[in-house]
Amino acid sequence: MMVFPSSIRIPVRNHLTGRTCYLVRGDEVSRTNECLSGIVAICNEPAIYKGLFARLLAGQPYTMNMAVEWLAWAEEGWRNNTRFCFMTLDVRGDVVAACDIKSAEVDGAEVGYWTSSSHRGVMTNTVATVIQLAANAGFRSLMARAQHANFRSKRVMERVGFLPDPARRDESHDYFLLSL
């Protein structure tokens, strides 16, 4: 069983702007209209939408209901100790990025993440903080994958210590491993 702190508010510095954001557990995020609207806006940003939702949603936009369901999914994961979604908030409390550990598998759980294009510079420190929390919680290794052309995501992985996994590759993704 993974053991994370019951409440998290860790400062995360945006290395481009110097501004401080805060990493919190996904089950600690308020479901206000402003929060949900912010998530919808980010998930409809062209790069995020294309990489994560275009195929799944068949070209339809990411909706408010999907944001509500995603936050419920995050809460359920924490409650059942099965997946661990973290969100990065700006000083106003708006979600600007998310990073999740997609299972409680101690060896090789997948890490995924996204960030708003208007908050570039926060993702590397967000992922590094989540990795430290994962190590403290008992994970021994993590894996991540990125679409072949997603060079920014691959750079985040490299900066936080993931190494390419040459044994795994498919038609659309490169895979990376990190031993903790």
Side-chain angles (χ1 to χ4, degrees):
M1 180 171 176
M2 298 295 105
V3 180
F4 286 95
S6 60
S7 183
I8 296 171
R9 185 173 170 83
I10 300 171
V12 175
R13 185 177 172 274
N14 181 314
H15 78 270
L16 295 177
T17 65
R19 292 188 184 120
T20 299
C21 292
Y22 296 92
L23 185 77
V24 300
R25 290 170 43 140
D27 60 348
E28 296 181 302
V29 173
S30 300
R31 290 190 193 192
T32 64
N33 281 336
E34 293 80 15
C35 173
L36 295 168
S37 295
I39 292 168
V40 169
I42 293 169
C43 291
N44 282 311
E45 288 181 10
I48 293 173
Y49 185 84
K50 180 182 177 190
L52 298 177
F53 303 112
R55 187 179 313 176
L56 176 70
L57 301 179
Q60 296 299 307
Y62 189 93
T63 66
M64 187 76 86
N65 189 51
M66 291 172 181
V68 169
E69 290 173 0
W70 180 64
L71 287 177
W73 174 86
E75 290 172 4
E76 177 189 24
W78 280 103
R79 185 174 47 256
N80 296 330
N81 205 44
T82 55
R83 58 186 173 268
F84 312 95
C85 185
F86 299 88
M87 294 175 207
T88 304
L89 310 178
D90 64 13
V91 294
R92 296 181 323 173
D94 295 332
V95 175
V96 300
C99 180
D100 65 319
I101 302 170
K102 299 180 183 207
S103 75
E105 189 177 327
V106 297
D107 288 308
E110 183 177 358
V111 174
Y113 48 86
W114 52 254
T115 188
S116 169
S117 61
S118 63
H119 286 83
R120 285 187 57 241
V122 76
M123 200 74 259
T124 297
N125 290 335
T126 293
V127 175
T129 302
V130 169
I131 287 169
Q132 185 60 54
L133 289 166
N136 293 342
F139 284 92
R140 292 189 295 250
S141 67
L142 299 169
M143 67 83 67
R145 61 189 175 125
Q147 293 175 346
H148 296 310
N150 191 343
F151 299 108
R152 286 184 177 163
S153 185
K154 291 182 203 180
R155 284 292 301 137
V156 168
M157 289 179 220
E158 292 168 359
R159 284 192 295 263
V160 299
F162 278 89
L163 298 173
D165 181 0
R168 289 186 70 190
R169 186 169 194 207
D170 61 35
E171 67 278 353
S172 58
H173 292 90
D174 293 313
Y175 290 79
F176 298 80
L177 292 173
L178 175 66
S179 294
L180 302 176

